[in-house]
Amino acid sequence: MAKADLDKLVATFPEAIVATHSHCGDETAVVLPSHLSEIMRWLKESGGFDLLVDLTAVDYLGRDPRFEVVYHLRSMQTGNRLRIKVQIGEIEGGPPPEVDSVVSIWPAANWMEREVWDLYGIRFAGHPDLRRVLLYEEFVGHPLRKDYPKERRQPLVRRENLLP
Amino acid sequence: MAETYTSRLEEAISWARKYSLFTYPFATACCAMEFMATMAPKYDIARFGAEFPRFSPRQADLLFIVGTIVEKQAPVLLRIWEQMAEPKYVIAFGVCASTGGFYQNYSTVPGADQIVPVDVYIPGCPPRPEQVLDGLMLLQKKIQEGTTWVQQRDRREREKGIEPPRPRPRRLPVIS
């Protein structure tokens, strides 16, 4: 089970683990953003987690730190799963929040990080081509942020006088 | 006397047009499955003279908007409508094409009629083939009566003395 992997991770990086959670074979570790690259590389190379299943983000508006980037890992040899979370805050009026990119570790992260940038506005340092992937370039803002107004529309085309 | 001849001629032309619709299916979502069922032998849209899907807008005169239209796709839809042969008609197939349906968010166009003039709206999520055929027959009725958007626009322009050919459609910026 992945509990052994989680214990090994905590033993190897005791100073970088913020919190862990373990329930019914569902293992999670919250790590410091400053150690993310190092931990991810270790998990891929020594932990055997060779598959990045998913990479997404959550906006906890009103909490500090506000954002959480979530990585779902899987080992194809043992079938174990591990979830890594990293919490990042934002500076009011400052640059967008930023975490290290994992594209150099798992190439599959490329489009997933672009999607997180597109919809949540979290930048990934070291990403080779961080552009919007789903929305159009003219779009302003990041619509899955909880403070994006539900009713705001940013149309590319509208026609007038279409009624007969 | 001349007026009588013109109206009789127009009636005959409308009759021919309503039974030889060449459809362009702009199918973007799950409604396309119902569209396929409508085209297939069981419901057989061929009975109404609209069995021929053309996958080039230049050879089609009936635009079926089948499914959700997102903002990113709206310029493509407008360009396809502008490329179609005149006189052209538009059917919004399903609630997403008609009003945006249950998608009320940043990405979805609230109804294809924000982009192109729609003649017939077919509700349903998705509509049953019977509803689609009903909508097609309604469009045929409108064509015969001359009450579709394009026919009304043509009549207005004739009254003002504007004759075809019209100015070419403006070029849209290419979105990469």
Side-chain angles (χ1 to χ4, degrees):
Chain A
M1 292 300 285
K3 187 78 178 74
D5 293 310
L6 186 65
D7 292 341
K8 214 160 80 179
L9 175 71
V10 175
T12 316
F13 299 95
E15 75 289 351
I17 309 293
V18 179
T20 61
H21 176 265
S22 191
H23 180 68
C24 296
D26 186 27
E27 268 74 33
T28 309
V30 183
V31 307
L32 287 176
S34 51
H35 292 68
L36 180 72
S37 280
E38 193 189 350
I39 287 174
M40 288 309 207
R41 198 165 287 284
W42 181 84
L43 282 171
K44 166 94 180 276
E45 286 162 9
S46 310
F49 287 95
D50 47 1
L51 181 69
L52 177 68
V53 179
D54 194 16
L55 191 166
T56 185
V58 189
D59 179 5
Y60 294 100
L61 186 63
R63 197 190 73 172
D64 189 50
R66 179 177 166 184
F67 294 102
E68 199 165 68
V69 182
V70 188
Y71 303 81
H72 291 238
L73 308 179
R74 187 158 199 253
S75 163
M76 294 303 282
Q77 277 78 45
T78 62
N80 289 346
R81 293 168 192 275
L82 186 62
R83 185 181 301 129
I84 303 290
K85 291 181 180 177
V86 53
Q87 296 179 337
I88 34 167
E90 66 164 357
I91 308 148
E92 199 67 50
E98 189 168 72
V99 284
D100 285 336
S101 170
V102 296
V103 175
S104 57
I105 305 167
W106 294 280
N110 192 323
W111 281 24
M112 297 192 234
E113 287 183 349
R114 282 176 66 185
E115 186 184 347
V116 170
W117 158 244
D118 194 353
L119 302 178
Y120 289 94
I122 298 169
R123 294 202 70 87
F124 290 87
H127 190 284
D129 182 26
L130 197 64
R131 286 180 295 130
R132 288 189 183 275
V133 66
L134 294 173
L135 293 165
Y136 32 100
E137 285 299 322
E138 293 87 343
F139 200 89
V140 179
H142 305 281
L144 289 196
R145 286 190 173 197
K146 295 284 185 230
D147 53 2
Y148 186 89
K150 187 166 72 77
E151 303 297 330
R152 184 186 289 170
R153 300 286 186 276
Q154 301 191 30
L156 284 175
V157 181
R158 283 289 186 275
R159 297 269 317 266
E160 302 292 327
N161 307 321
L162 286 185
L163 292 175
Chain B
M1 197 62 190
E3 262 174 34
T4 316
Y5 281 127
T6 326
S7 70
R8 300 303 293 180
L9 179 66
E10 217 154 80
E11 212 168 273
I13 290 173
S14 294
W15 176 85
R17 278 176 177 157
K18 75 174 179 179
Y19 289 125
S20 62
L21 293 165
F22 278 36
T23 59
Y24 180 90
F26 192 82
T28 53
C30 33
C31 274
M33 305 310 288
E34 294 301 308
F35 181 73
M36 291 173 209
T38 314
M39 299 296 281
K42 185 161 180 180
Y43 293 98
D44 198 12
I45 207 168
R47 292 177 293 156
F48 305 92
E51 78 275 31
F52 210 7
R54 303 306 300 179
F55 295 103
S56 161
R58 295 184 191 281
Q59 300 171 359
D61 64 352
L62 170 57
L63 177 61
F64 258 108
I65 304 171
V66 187
T68 325
I69 304 298
V70 295
E71 298 286 4
K72 200 175 176 179
Q73 211 171 19
V76 179
L77 177 64
L78 178 57
R79 175 173 286 188
I80 282 183
W81 181 80
E82 285 180 340
Q83 283 175 335
M84 281 169 58
E86 298 264 355
K88 49 199 171 190
Y89 321 102
V90 181
I91 288 183
F93 187 118
V95 282
C96 289
S98 301
T99 66
F102 54 70
Y103 299 104
Q104 292 197 6
N105 57 22
Y106 58 93
S107 64
T108 308
V109 178
D113 53 5
Q114 307 269 326
I115 314 294
V116 294
V118 177
D119 294 310
V120 175
Y121 300 86
I122 303 173
C125 185
R128 284 199 51 88
E130 291 91 337
Q131 282 172 272
V132 182
L133 296 176
D134 194 33
L136 187 82
M137 286 157 72
L138 184 60
L139 179 72
Q140 289 178 332
K141 189 161 159 272
K142 287 186 82 168
I143 294 172
Q144 183 68 71
E145 290 169 355
T147 53
T148 63
W149 187 86
V150 164
Q151 286 168 314
Q152 287 183 334
R153 180 206 60 191
D154 285 353
R155 203 171 306 125
R156 269 200 310 273
E157 291 189 352
R158 251 200 316 277
E159 280 163 14
K160 282 186 209 157
I162 306 170
E163 284 294 321
R166 283 190 194 73
R168 289 169 61 84
R170 71 209 160 78
R171 288 191 69 82
L172 289 168
V174 177
I175 290 162
S176 56

